Amino acid sequence: MLHGIDAATIAALGFFAFLAGFIDSMVGGGGLIQLPALLLLLPNVPIPTVLGTGKVASLAGTSASAFRYLKGLTDVPIRWRTVAVAAVVAGCFALLGARAVSGLNKELVKPLVLALLVLMAAYTFWRKDFGSLHAPRLHGRCELWTGVALGTGIGFYDGFFGPGTGSLLLFAFVGLFGYDFLAASASAKVVNVATNIAGLAYFVSTGQVLYQVALPMAVCNVLGSMLGTRMAMQRGTGFVRVLFLVVVSVFILKLGWETLA
C-alpha cells in the first residue's frame, strides 16, 4: 500500500469526489468537498501530491460537465470567441499563479476573497431576477477584452489559491456578460477546464500525482458531474440560483472562520 492507502480509503475518496462533481457541475464549489477529504484521508501524502491528485478528478468532472452543458444548451448559443479567449488567457495565468505560490503569502488573499463572496451573495439575493434571463450586454471588442480581463484575474487566482474559482466564474458570466445561470455555468466550465489543465500540467511534470487514487476519483467525479448537470438543466435557472447562494454562503462561513480564527 503506497503511502498507506487501502481500498476503503480509495472508496471513501470516490464518494467525496462524486459529491464534489455533483455540486461543482452546477455552481462550482466542489473543492470545498474534495480537497478537505483528500487532506483528511491522505495525511501522510505531501500537500503538492494531494493537490495534483485532486486536479485529475476535477479536470475529468469539469470536462464532462462542460460537454453535457454544451450539448444540451441548443437554444442558447455560446459566444465561443469570448469564452475561448477567456479560457486560453485563464490557462496561461493559472500556470503563472501556480508558480507564484512559493513566493507570496496566500493568507493575504483570504480577506479579499471573503469580501468579494459577501458582495456576490448580497447582490444575488437582492436581485431576484439575477441570472434568470439570457441577455448578453457586451459586444465586439468590449466583450473580448472583458473576457481577457476575466481570464487574467480568475486564471491567476485559480493557480495561486483556487477555492471558489467556479463560483467566481459563474457570477462573472452572469453579472458582467448578462448570461443566464445555465449559459454562465456552461461558459464557466469551459474556462475552468483550461485552468485545471494548466494546473495539472504543472503537477504531472513534477511527478506529484497518485494515479491509483486519482483515476478512481476521476470516474466518480465524472458520474457526479453528469448527474448534477442533468439536474441543473431539468430544474432550470431558479434552482441553480438558490444552490449558488447556498454554496457561496458556505464559502463565506469557511473563509470567515479561517480568517478570523
Side-chain angles (χ1 to χ4, degrees):
M1 294 187 295
L2 185 62
H3 294 292
I5 303 171
D6 55 17
T9 299
I10 294 176
L13 287 171
F15 168 76
F16 287 113
F18 175 88
L19 192 58
F22 179 76
I23 296 296
D24 197 76
S25 65
M26 291 183 277
V27 294
L32 266 179
I33 300 167
Q34 185 167 276
L35 183 57
L38 282 162
L39 293 171
L40 179 65
L41 295 173
L42 301 180
N44 299 320
V45 177
I47 296 299
T49 304
V50 168
L51 296 176
T53 301
K55 276 292 182 185
V56 175
S58 298
L59 175 59
T62 303
S63 300
S65 179
F67 177 78
R68 288 293 298 270
Y69 273 118
L70 296 175
K71 183 179 179 181
L73 288 176
T74 55
D75 56 334
V76 179
I78 299 298
R79 301 168 83 89
W80 276 111
R81 187 177 70 158
T82 300
V83 174
V85 166
V88 171
V89 173
C92 294
F93 276 86
L95 188 56
L96 291 176
R99 292 178 65 87
V101 167
S102 60
L104 298 172
N105 186 359
K106 291 194 293 183
E107 295 301 312
L108 298 177
V109 178
K110 288 184 179 180
L112 297 177
V113 177
L114 177 61
L116 180 59
L117 289 172
V118 170
L119 291 174
M120 284 167 49
Y123 187 80
T124 305
F125 182 80
W126 178 61
R127 285 282 305 276
K128 303 298 182 183
D129 61 339
F130 186 68
S132 62
L133 297 175
H134 186 70
R137 62 174 63 98
L138 301 177
H139 303 279
R141 291 185 177 180
C142 180
E143 182 180 31
L144 197 62
W145 283 109
T146 303
V148 171
L150 176 67
T152 300
I154 294 188
F156 185 86
Y157 169 79
D158 188 41
F160 179 72
F161 188 61
T165 297
S167 299
L168 291 171
L169 282 168
L170 178 61
F171 184 85
F173 274 113
V174 174
L176 295 177
F177 293 89
Y179 297 0
D180 68 15
F181 268 115
L182 290 181
S185 293
S187 302
K189 289 291 167 279
V190 173
V191 177
N192 216 173
V193 165
T195 61
N196 279 332
I197 288 174
L200 183 58
Y202 177 80
F203 290 118
V204 169
S205 67
T206 53
Q208 299 179 81
V209 176
L210 295 177
Y211 290 101
Q212 78 272 29
V213 177
L215 295 180
M217 287 184 68
V219 172
C220 294
N221 199 295
V222 167
L223 293 174
S225 70
M226 292 176 68
L227 179 61
T229 305
R230 180 179 180 183
M231 182 176 291
M233 298 186 71
Q234 288 179 340
R235 298 286 186 92
T237 58
F239 172 76
V240 178
R241 176 182 180 274
V242 172
L243 189 60
F244 175 79
L245 282 170
V246 171
V247 171
V248 169
S249 297
V250 173
F251 267 126
I252 290 171
L253 292 175
K254 179 178 183 293
L255 281 179
W257 175 262
E258 292 176 353
T259 303
L260 301 175

